Amino acid sequence: MTRALIIGATSAIAGAVARLWAEQGHALFLTGRNPERLKLLRHDLLARGAARVETAVLEVTDTLQQEAVISQAVQTLDGLDLALLAHGSLPGSDDWHSSPEAARLAFEVNATATITLLTRLTGLFESRQHGTLVVISSVAGDRGRQSNYLYGAAKGAVSLFTQGLRNRLHGGPVRVITVKPGMVDTPMTRSFDKGLLWATPEQVAIDVVRAVSRGRDVVYSPWYWRWIMLVIRLLPEWLFKRLRL
């Protein structure tokens, strides 16, 4: 039985991952901002076969609350084997283009809070000589695009941080997995027009679970985003600006 902490558990991707882990009989500790949604998810996961499901409300930007909730998860599950960081928000350009405070908060949620949580969890797993960290980043972090460069900058920071962390921990008992979804049909993207490249949270969840079992380092989800982003990264800046992707 695996003991897993899921931060941002009520997000679409995290919920889909939790359902797969529940079916595998994992013990789960869920965090999120909405206690009612956490309660509903808990009942669903228990019905699907989870060995145990506990919950706690967490505002990820509250560093003191971070420490308390992680300690609660460790005590409740008698240890942790796995942590999934899946929280985040997609800031609207109308907000942060004109508001430095909105820009700061968006970066704090999507990058600073993730890095802080990773640092805490890495220390925990290193002290126990065991653990796997799974972080949901994004293909948006591979290159700064005119439509969402603040979100992309935050996810880029997370991807670079996990890359460095993975290198530091290489050869030891703690693993770090970076998952980079492309466009996913979730409540966060409900206002977007959907096309052929869009994936479902369930598709991404399968890739997350497979990455943990296979010990992958970086996973693009779905797989074709690896090659799409390779082309986009190779575009010279003068051409990239004109394409306005």
Side-chain angles (χ1 to χ4, degrees):
M1 178 187 71
T2 298
R3 300 160 296 179
L5 167 65
I6 304 180
I7 295 174
T10 56
S11 69
I13 292 174
V17 173
R19 288 190 287 273
L20 293 177
W21 282 343
E23 291 167 1
Q24 294 176 355
H26 289 2
L28 306 173
F29 193 98
L30 315 176
T31 79
R33 292 187 299 172
N34 188 315
E36 290 303 315
R37 290 180 63 190
L38 285 171
K39 181 178 179 181
L40 290 173
L41 181 59
R42 177 178 182 271
H43 290 317
D44 177 60
L45 297 176
L46 287 171
R48 291 175 184 269
R52 183 175 183 180
V53 182
E54 303 297 339
T55 68
V57 174
L58 172 63
E59 174 53 64
V60 293
T61 58
D62 187 331
T63 56
L64 292 178
Q65 197 178 26
Q66 285 181 9
E67 183 176 9
V69 167
I70 291 172
S71 296
Q72 183 182 349
V74 172
Q75 293 172 6
T76 302
L77 299 184
D78 193 25
L80 284 176
D81 307 299
L82 177 61
L84 170 64
L85 278 66
H87 65 277
S89 65
L90 188 62
S93 59
D94 291 342
D95 298 329
W96 59 269
H97 279 172
S98 58
S99 171
E101 179 61 19
R104 183 198 63 78
L105 180 58
F107 196 87
E108 186 174 355
V109 170
N110 289 298
T112 307
T114 304
I115 290 169
T116 306
L117 284 161
L118 280 170
T119 303
R120 293 185 189 281
L121 288 164
T122 299
L124 171 68
F125 285 167
E126 283 190 293
S127 69
R128 296 177 177 235
Q129 292 290 292
H130 171 72
T132 298
L133 294 161
V134 185
V135 185
I136 304 297
S137 184
S138 172
V139 298
D142 281 13
R143 190 156 192 180
R145 297 169 55 233
Q146 58 92 18
S147 61
N148 65 349
Y149 57 87
L150 176 62
Y151 180 77
K155 290 301 187 179
V158 168
S159 293
L160 194 60
F161 184 88
T162 55
Q163 183 182 61
L165 181 62
R166 183 165 44 248
N167 274 264
R168 180 174 77 78
L169 298 174
H170 177 67
V174 182
R175 293 167 47 208
V176 181
I177 300 170
T178 309
V179 181
K180 298 183 178 183
M183 296 178 292
V184 185
D185 189 359
T186 69
M188 194 166 68
T189 59
R190 65 168 59 91
S191 63
F192 290 68
D193 293 330
K194 309 301 189 296
L196 292 176
L197 294 179
W198 286 75
T200 65
E202 289 73 22
Q203 288 175 287
V204 179
I206 291 171
D207 287 337
V208 171
V209 172
R210 186 180 293 135
V212 172
S213 65
R214 295 181 179 179
R216 300 283 297 278
D217 289 333
V218 180
V219 177
Y220 285 82
S221 181
W223 61 269
Y224 47 76
W225 281 102
R226 178 180 297 275
W227 309 112
I228 293 173
M229 296 313 300
L230 175 61
V231 172
I232 290 176
R233 290 197 305 272
L234 290 175
L235 290 174
E237 187 73 10
W238 64 266
L239 177 58
F240 187 69
K241 288 188 296 184
R242 284 163 174 76
L243 292 174
R244 299 188 65 81
L245 295 173

